[in-house]
Amino acid sequence: MSSKRHLRWAAVPVGAATAAVLAGCTPQEQHGFLPGFTEDGVPATNQTDMVGALWVNSWIVLLIVGVITWGLMLWAGIAYRRRKGQTGLPVQMRYNMPIEILYTIIPLILVAGFFTLTARDQTVLETQYEDPDVSIIATGKQWAWDFEYLGTETDGSDSVWTMGVQVQPDENGNRVESELPTLVLPVNKTVKLQLESRDVIHSFWIIDFLYKKDMYIGHDNYWSFTPTREGTYAGKCAELCGEYHSMMLFNVEVVSEAEYEEYLASLEALGQTGPIQDEYDRLQNLPGVGTPAAKEEESH
């Protein structure tokens, strides 16, 4: 039997064992313990699986390259070690053209492959919905977040908004989760975020969604996706933006469509309608400062 046939037969049990191991893994293990995956296997968004697959497959390829490289290094160290009775330097080998070509081509193939796969997935991630179910303006400011839920011309609804403050610690120094700015999204509905900055460069990051985008003054960024699992997700600024950068946190609540509509109605009932005016500057981050109620009180 030829050596090739031996290799083919050897590959069968190896492949079967690999498949069995992977089949027994949890969704978190299959996705490299990345956030955004739970035991039920439902990803956080329609893009999370794609990002997780790129991450895990890249590490698998790199691990294979690493094992081969470490194996060759170990083999060379053993095969060409100094034997008993030998003195001086071993025979030096230089200018082995086939090996040098191999060492050049393999990294080029890896770099080209990673670039192609990354560019392919990034094209999908950066494709914006033309007619999303939900359009929201997320504004970063030192050191909190504002969210404006844009109305639609079709149903004549007005925009509603909520303005956040930076993390407020309690008497024990622990952050008060209920006071964090909260972005509410309907599950299984297309969402398009318009990302703006009010002062310095920020970065909008919903951790479990496995994606983040920078926010600049004078240049709005956009992000389109579909939340696919209800729940509460943590968000933060991922760009060092000043003294209280670590306190620039927010939550994301993915809820049913009925709960989402109820939430918008509650904002409208509070009088938080229409576009957020430019007059609301970074002082809005301080409790009781810059809010419509506070401005009315100041006027008196």
Side-chain angles (χ1 to χ4, degrees):
M1 186 179 291
S2 65
S3 59
K4 290 185 178 180
R5 293 189 64 185
H6 278 298
L7 290 175
R8 281 201 300 269
W9 282 108
V12 172
V14 172
T18 303
V21 170
L22 292 177
C25 292
T26 65
Q28 293 97 326
E29 292 169 342
Q30 291 177 357
H31 292 91
F33 297 98
L34 287 173
F37 301 94
T38 56
E39 292 292 341
D40 59 10
V42 180
T45 73
N46 62 321
Q47 301 169 349
T48 312
D49 260 333
M50 180 180 64
V51 177
L54 178 63
W55 170 267
V56 172
N57 291 332
S58 297
W59 274 107
I60 290 174
V61 172
L62 293 174
L63 182 60
I64 292 173
V65 173
V67 168
I68 294 174
T69 303
W70 299 325
L72 290 174
M73 292 169 61
L74 181 61
W75 172 78
I78 295 174
Y80 297 103
R81 71 188 187 281
R82 176 178 292 178
R83 265 64 173 188
K84 186 176 180 180
Q86 289 181 333
T87 58
L89 294 174
V91 177
Q92 302 299 298
M93 298 180 62
R94 298 184 179 89
Y95 309 118
N96 190 312
M97 192 58 66
I99 292 180
E100 292 183 13
I101 291 175
L102 181 68
Y103 286 167
T104 303
I105 290 178
I106 290 179
L108 286 176
I109 293 174
L110 290 173
V111 170
F114 288 137
F115 174 82
T116 301
L117 295 174
T118 302
R120 178 201 65 186
D121 290 355
Q122 187 173 6
T123 299
V124 175
L125 289 167
E126 292 297 326
T127 300
Q128 306 303 325
Y129 297 144
E130 294 297 330
D131 188 23
D133 298 320
V134 175
S135 296
I136 300 171
I137 298 177
T139 304
K141 59 187 181 181
Q142 291 178 314
W143 289 272
W145 306 88
D146 297 340
F147 302 114
E148 181 179 345
Y149 303 83
L150 302 180
T152 61
E153 296 181 0
T154 55
D155 59 11
S157 60
D158 201 358
S159 298
V160 295
W161 49 262
T162 177
M163 305 187 74
V165 298
Q166 68 193 53
V167 171
Q168 300 300 309
D170 60 18
E171 56 185 11
N172 297 320
N174 301 316
R175 68 188 187 193
V176 181
E177 292 286 342
S178 60
E179 295 187 10
L180 287 181
T182 299
L183 173 64
V184 180
L185 302 174
V187 70
N188 294 324
K189 295 292 182 180
T190 55
V191 175
K192 184 175 182 178
L193 297 180
Q194 180 178 333
L195 305 174
E196 300 179 351
S197 173
R198 186 170 294 164
D199 34 52
V200 299
I201 297 177
H202 300 285
S203 185
F204 185 84
W205 184 22
I206 304 174
I207 299 171
D208 281 16
F209 289 11
L210 302 184
Y211 199 55
K212 58 186 175 183
K213 297 200 74 169
D214 283 349
M215 311 165 81
Y216 308 94
I217 299 177
H219 176 77
D220 296 343
N221 269 335
Y222 295 87
W223 179 19
S224 295
F225 59 92
T226 302
T228 52
R229 189 180 72 234
E230 294 186 26
T232 301
Y233 304 93
K236 60 176 64 178
C237 176
E239 183 80 25
L240 183 59
C241 57
E243 183 178 5
Y244 297 104
H245 161 71
S246 62
M247 302 172 71
M248 193 170 170
L249 309 176
F250 65 99
N251 284 330
V252 178
E253 293 279 355
V254 179
V255 299
S256 66
E257 184 177 5
E259 290 175 295
Y260 175 73
E261 295 296 337
E262 183 179 344
Y263 176 73
L264 297 187
S266 69
L267 296 180
E268 185 176 5
L270 292 173
Q272 297 173 194
T273 60
I276 299 179
Q277 302 300 320
D278 293 336
E279 62 187 276
Y280 296 118
D281 57 21
R282 68 183 64 187
L283 292 178
Q284 170 62 30
N285 297 320
L286 301 177
V289 177
T291 62
K295 288 181 179 292
E296 183 178 355
E297 184 176 344
E298 289 172 4
S299 64
H300 294 294

